[in-house]
Amino acid sequence: MNVIISTSELASDLAGGNAPVLLDVRWQLSTAKAAGEPPFDGRAEYAAAHIPGAVFVDLDADLASPAGPGGRHPLPDLGHFGSVMRAAGVSADRPVVVYDGGQGWAAARAWWLLRWTGHPSVRVLDGGLAAWAGELESGEVTPAAEGTFVPEPNSVDLLDADAAAALARSGLLLDARAAERYRGDVEPIDRVGGHIPGAVSAPTTENVAADGRFRPADELAARFTSLGASSTAPVGVYCGSGVSGAHEVLALAVAGIPAALYVGSWSQWSSDPARPVATGPDPQ
């Protein structure tokens, strides 16, 4: 199935008889702010204006557990995640479309979680709210009826630290962070800079065009093939905390390449002094 949807396709689906469940997952990475600058408030942004019918989902509260040994955005409690999805109207027999402000990272995290837990039809709005030219509404949306979705995770799409380390040697492990963080030139968030030994630098920002939409599938396939993807070797992705990495998994899916996600990512890996760290431009 398609994993992304255009704004024109979404507008047509919303006008049709089987409109998808719409999830608004606006979020920004929390880094050091200038004194007095208010933090980003995704719920307030949603309440001010969103695509009609969309329900807000909080990435930090609903798509992750509190930061800790598992990283900055570890997997959410599945009971809580399922409850939030049902409250948003999600059922397995109804398609879901997820969007964010335009970067696509948060929407991809929701897409990945729903796919990993068994939902058969989830797509991300290509370009996000920034690409939407249709009507907007304000206020909160309460679905007319709760959904029935029950999360049933699989073991194929998820990597832990040991599996990521092994995949870097036996297959292809992509690092979706900025190249300077991969090299260890800078590290604004985590304990130490660098990368998992054997991982290949593949910044997720290079998967999209200037307007935030994904590059064509053939261009993405060529990019990932040039980085070492093949039909025989398994592919995995990590990032800082399992958010931008989900966006790279989505880009790989657009290209027709299945990939697993190391959710703990660098925030978990680098917090353990026993884990090896490579620096510089070369994987090793």
Side-chain angles (χ1 to χ4, degrees):
M1 74 171 200
N2 293 330
V3 293
I4 57 175
I5 182 172
S6 69
T7 53
S8 60
E9 289 172 323
L10 177 59
S12 177
D13 286 356
L14 290 175
N18 187 30
V21 173
L22 266 179
L23 303 181
D24 182 312
V25 198
R26 269 176 278 181
W27 170 89
Q28 287 183 7
L29 178 65
S30 295
T31 56
K33 299 286 185 179
E37 183 183 350
F40 178 81
D41 188 338
R43 185 175 291 277
E45 295 283 332
Y46 159 83
H50 56 262
I51 298 176
V55 177
F56 181 73
V57 175
D58 188 309
L59 186 148
D60 291 317
D62 303 327
L63 305 182
S65 294
R72 280 194 309 281
H73 290 104
L75 291 172
D77 174 83
L78 289 183
H80 174 74
F81 174 68
S83 177
V84 168
M85 291 298 104
R86 290 189 293 274
V90 175
S91 297
D93 60 354
R94 186 178 175 190
V96 176
V97 172
V98 190
Y99 72 88
D100 57 25
Q103 187 178 42
W105 294 5
R109 171 75 176 216
W111 166 84
W112 182 87
L113 278 167
L114 281 165
R115 189 184 74 155
W116 173 61
T117 54
H119 199 287
S121 180
V122 189
R123 289 177 289 176
V124 169
L125 180 61
D126 196 15
L129 187 63
W132 178 257
E135 179 185 356
L136 297 174
E137 66 178 7
S138 61
E140 297 276 342
V141 171
T142 301
E146 281 209 353
T148 58
F149 179 69
V150 177
E152 296 181 359
N154 69 68
S155 60
V156 176
D157 297 326
L158 179 66
L159 299 172
D160 61 14
D162 290 339
L167 185 58
R169 303 299 183 189
S170 63
L172 177 65
L173 181 65
L174 299 175
D175 185 318
R177 298 172 301 155
E180 59 267 25
R181 292 183 68 192
Y182 171 88
R183 295 191 301 265
D185 298 345
V186 299
E187 183 42 63
I189 305 173
D190 294 313
R191 184 184 68 85
V192 65
H195 58 269
I196 297 173
V200 175
S201 180
T204 198
T205 52
E206 296 180 15
N207 295 321
V208 297
D211 62 2
R213 291 180 173 91
F214 280 104
R215 297 188 183 281
D218 57 347
E219 288 186 18
L220 290 172
R223 182 194 184 210
F224 293 123
T225 298
S226 73
L227 292 171
S230 70
S231 59
T232 57
V235 178
V237 180
Y238 75 96
C239 57
S241 65
V243 179
S244 66
H247 191 264
E248 184 124 300
V249 173
L250 177 59
L252 283 153
V254 172
I257 302 170
L261 177 66
Y262 171 26
V263 172
S265 286
W266 190 247
S267 60
Q268 181 187 41
W269 183 279
S270 65
S271 69
D272 183 354
R275 295 282 179 186
V277 171
T279 57
D282 295 327
Q284 306 307 324

